[in-house]
């Protein structure tokens, strides 16, 4: 108990519920699906204003909005904003990480993981991509593993990766880690400093429009 009266506690909860009702207005039953999040009313209004401004030939300057979004994602992941990049898709960031690996590097992934995360490593053509069951990912990290790329929560069935075991195994073998937190950013607590890269699309639990994505880079790579 926090010492507040039941009346105050009830009033606080009622205010919160009113705030939620004011921001979200689904016209059908919404079951907290991870496929896509509901857009808050303030986001819808901002997008409408931006489109209307563009239609007049005077597009809005949205750099401040982008910076505010970067700062918010930095707060969620517990890192300085200087380590957060804003972009459009996880595939873009996976491609950047894939391009940075030396020819012949081994990349370890989970079987059936989401294509945006793993496809860039296959497309490059000169990397050794090895896929194993999610439950065996940590034990499969070896001395030849250069990178482990995995979704923190699997899109297909909601299984949660053992991130602590993966962190320890990667550190023991000197492997880098790329964690896709698209299915977990906003509700699953994690320490971004446990991993090298975190990537996420933000139209799910973070409730952004489609076409918004973020990347957290290592401290040693920050500008």
């Amino acid at each position: 108990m926090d010492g507040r009266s039941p009346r105050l506690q009830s009033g606080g909860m009622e205010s919160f519920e009113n705030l939620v009702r004011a921001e979200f207005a689904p016209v059908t039953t919404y079951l907290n699906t991870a496929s896509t999040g509901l857009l808050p009313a303030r986001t819808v209004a901002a997008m409408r204003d931006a489109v209307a401004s563009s239609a007049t030939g005077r597009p809005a300057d949205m750099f401040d909005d982008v910076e505010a979004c970067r700062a918010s994602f930095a707060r969620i992941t517990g890192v300085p904003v200087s380590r957060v990049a804003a972009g459009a898709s996880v595939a873009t960031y996976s491609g950047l990480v894939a391009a940075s690996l030396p020819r012949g590097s081994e990349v370890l992934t989970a079987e059936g993981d989401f294509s945006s995360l793993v496809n860039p490593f296959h497309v490059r053509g000169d990397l050794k991509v090895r896929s194993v069951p999610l439950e065996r990912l940590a034990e499969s990290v070896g001395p030849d593993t250069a990178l482990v790329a995995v979704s923190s929560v699997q899109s297909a069935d909601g299984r949660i990766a053992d991130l602590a075991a993966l962190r320890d195994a990667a550190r023991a073998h000197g492997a880098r880690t790329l964690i896709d937190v698209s299915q977990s950013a906003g509700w699953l607590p994690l320490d971004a400093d446990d991993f090298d890269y975190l990537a996420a699309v933000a139209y799910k639990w973070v409730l952004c429009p489609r076409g918004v994505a973020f990347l957290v880079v290592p401290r040693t790579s920050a500008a």
Side-chain angles (χ1 to χ4, degrees), residues 195-213:
F195 309 100
D196 294 289
Y197 306 100
L198 293 184
V201 292
Y203 62 81
K204 299 187 179 186
W205 300 108
V206 188
L207 308 181
C208 288
R210 285 181 178 268
V212 178

Side-chain angles (χ1 to χ4, degrees), residues 117-139:
L117 175 66
V118 301
N119 277 3
F121 300 104
H122 291 280
V123 168
R124 178 168 156 176
D126 61 353
L127 301 175
K128 298 175 182 177
V129 183
R130 183 162 60 99
S131 298
V132 299
L134 181 67
E135 295 74 17
R136 293 178 48 202
L137 195 65
E139 67 184 64

Side-chain angles (χ1 to χ4, degrees), residues 67-82 84 186 190 192 206 216:
E67 290 305 302
C69 288
R70 289 178 59 234
S72 294
F73 195 78
R75 185 168 63 252
I76 290 174
T77 52
V79 299
V81 68
S82 61
V84 177
L190 57 84
V206 188
V216 178

Side-chain angles (χ1 to χ4, degrees), residues 77-169:
T77 52
V79 299
V81 68
S82 61
R83 290 174 53 191
V84 177
S89 72
V90 166
T92 299
Y93 296 135
S94 296
L96 286 173
V97 176
S100 73
L101 296 173
R103 181 187 299 270
S105 296
E106 179 183 275
V107 179
L108 184 64
T109 67
E111 292 178 349
D113 212 332
F114 201 72
S115 57
S116 294
L117 175 66
V118 301
N119 277 3
F121 300 104
H122 291 280
V123 168
R124 178 168 156 176
D126 61 353
L127 301 175
K128 298 175 182 177
V129 183
R130 183 162 60 99
S131 298
V132 299
L134 181 67
E135 295 74 17
R136 293 178 48 202
L137 195 65
E139 67 184 64
S140 298
V141 180
D144 295 329
T145 306
L147 177 80
V148 184
V150 67
S151 297
S152 55
V153 176
Q154 292 295 297
S155 170
D157 54 23
R159 286 177 298 158
I160 301 177
D162 188 343
L163 295 178
L166 176 58
R167 174 201 61 204
D168 294 344

Side-chain angles (χ1 to χ4, degrees), residues 37-58:
L38 288 175
L39 287 180
R42 69 185 72 180
T43 301
V44 174
M47 293 176 65
R48 184 183 296 118
D49 292 345
V51 171
S53 180
S54 295
T56 67
R58 302 177 64 181

